[in-house]
Amino acid sequence: LLPGDDDGCEGEGSKLPAVEEGELKAGRDAVEFELMESTHAFLDRFYISRIGIRVLIGQYLSLRQPPVESYVGIICSRTSPYEIVKRAIDDAAFMCTRKYGDAPEVIITGRLDMTFPYVPTHLHYIMLELLKNSMRATVEYHGIDADYPPIKVVIADGSDNEDVIIKVSDEGGGIPRSNMKRIWSYLFTTADPEIQEGMVAFNENVDHSIDSPLAGLGYGLPISRSYARYFGGDLSIMSMEGYGTDCFVYLTRLGNTREPLPI
């Protein structure tokens, strides 16, 4: 299954770990990232196509179940970014505390009362990835048992806004400018090699749950961006090395965008 899938379909759970293993083996080879643009483009198309397939399967299966209030299939007409961010914070804090014994505080501000039509599982996956990265960076930059600066989440929306925008800001030391292009690669990760090996052999049923390691194979960010782009949104990252990182999630309201299926 792709991360964030929750459609009850069986039989495809072993495919993603197989792709991950191939990516990991390719990443070991001494190949410059600049020479692998075609590989990255193929993986982008591959994952977006699979997202589309999973959305269709999930929508079909959900519509055959008893109706749920505010839901049409897997789409919630009153998706609350605030509630989803809170759940993602709880999951990320659990994983961070398990790894380091503590987790930074997260402060949520902005439009806490707004709702809009979206797929909650997609948004939860995106926010969990960003918050995991921010918590890990903050703890490792400031040191265990330090007085961590809070991670800040801002939810922005207005009646005339084109997008719903969520910003995640941390003071985790930032990302070197030389690595900014690489963070969108499926072959780039700062995780320990032993964790990478373990993730490939990990049980696919819990591979992307809170039971998985805080940092894994490196495909979290690019797949998060694919999830955002699938419904016409985007994910961008601005970093200040030596200080911290700002992540911006742009989400369009469902119903006014076309499916960006690649050719």
Side-chain angles (χ1 to χ4, degrees):
L1 295 177
L2 272 172
D5 286 345
D6 189 19
D7 51 32
C9 184
E10 299 178 354
E12 297 197 26
S14 61
K15 292 182 180 178
L16 187 61
V19 176
E20 295 161 2
E21 184 175 6
E23 294 168 7
L24 180 58
K25 290 179 179 179
R28 293 196 191 103
D29 298 334
V31 180
E32 292 293 331
F33 279 79
E34 290 75 10
L35 302 179
M36 302 193 69
E37 290 185 4
S38 60
T39 301
H40 298 151
F42 165 77
L43 289 172
D44 282 336
R45 294 194 301 270
F46 172 79
Y47 282 121
I48 287 182
S49 295
R50 279 185 58 79
I51 289 171
I53 293 170
R54 305 306 297 189
V55 166
L56 290 174
I57 294 173
Q59 186 73 354
Y60 172 76
L61 294 177
S62 295
L63 289 173
R64 292 174 60 87
Q65 301 299 317
V68 179
E69 184 179 359
S70 299
Y71 273 83
V72 180
I74 62 174
I75 300 170
C76 179
S77 61
R78 297 181 58 82
T79 300
S80 169
Y82 174 62
E83 294 297 330
I84 291 177
V85 168
K86 283 202 307 182
R87 290 199 297 269
I89 289 171
D90 291 341
D91 291 341
F94 172 82
M95 300 170 73
C96 187
T97 302
R98 182 185 60 196
K99 171 71 174 179
Y100 301 108
D102 198 3
E105 177 189 8
V106 181
I107 300 173
I108 311 174
T109 59
R111 284 291 309 277
L112 308 186
D113 60 333
M114 65 87 58
T115 61
F116 73 114
Y118 208 74
V119 180
T121 53
H122 289 193
L123 182 54
H124 179 270
Y125 177 77
I126 295 170
M127 297 310 304
L128 178 58
E129 285 300 319
L130 297 180
L131 289 164
K132 283 195 307 181
N133 291 345
S134 289
M135 288 186 181
R136 178 189 174 213
T138 299
V139 172
E140 293 188 350
Y141 182 69
H142 293 275
I144 297 177
D145 296 328
D147 187 12
Y148 305 124
I151 295 168
K152 299 176 183 178
V153 177
V154 181
I155 301 171
D157 178 59
S159 57
D160 297 328
N161 284 21
E162 180 179 337
D163 299 317
V164 175
I165 306 171
I166 304 176
K167 181 176 78 168
V168 180
S169 301
D170 67 60
E171 297 178 28
I175 304 169
R177 189 163 59 91
S178 60
N179 281 342
M180 286 304 295
K181 289 185 178 180
R182 298 187 176 198
I183 62 175
W184 302 114
S185 169
Y186 296 90
L187 309 178
F188 178 74
T189 178
T190 57
D192 188 287
E194 292 184 1
I195 294 179
Q196 295 175 314
E197 297 283 0
M199 283 287 285
V200 169
F202 212 59
N203 183 343
E204 63 267 18
N205 294 323
V206 296
D207 193 18
H208 304 290
S209 70
I210 57 175
D211 296 320
S212 62
L214 190 62
L217 289 172
Y219 52 77
L221 275 180
I223 288 186
S224 293
R225 186 172 66 172
S226 294
Y227 269 120
R229 287 180 170 178
Y230 182 77
F231 287 121
D234 207 350
L235 172 62
S236 64
I237 292 179
M238 298 293 291
S239 186
M240 181 184 294
E241 186 177 7
Y243 182 77
T245 301
D246 289 348
C247 305
F248 298 87
V249 182
Y250 301 91
L251 306 169
T252 58
R253 295 168 177 80
L254 295 190
N256 58 358
T257 57
R258 299 180 62 183
E259 188 181 43
L261 287 181
I263 298 177

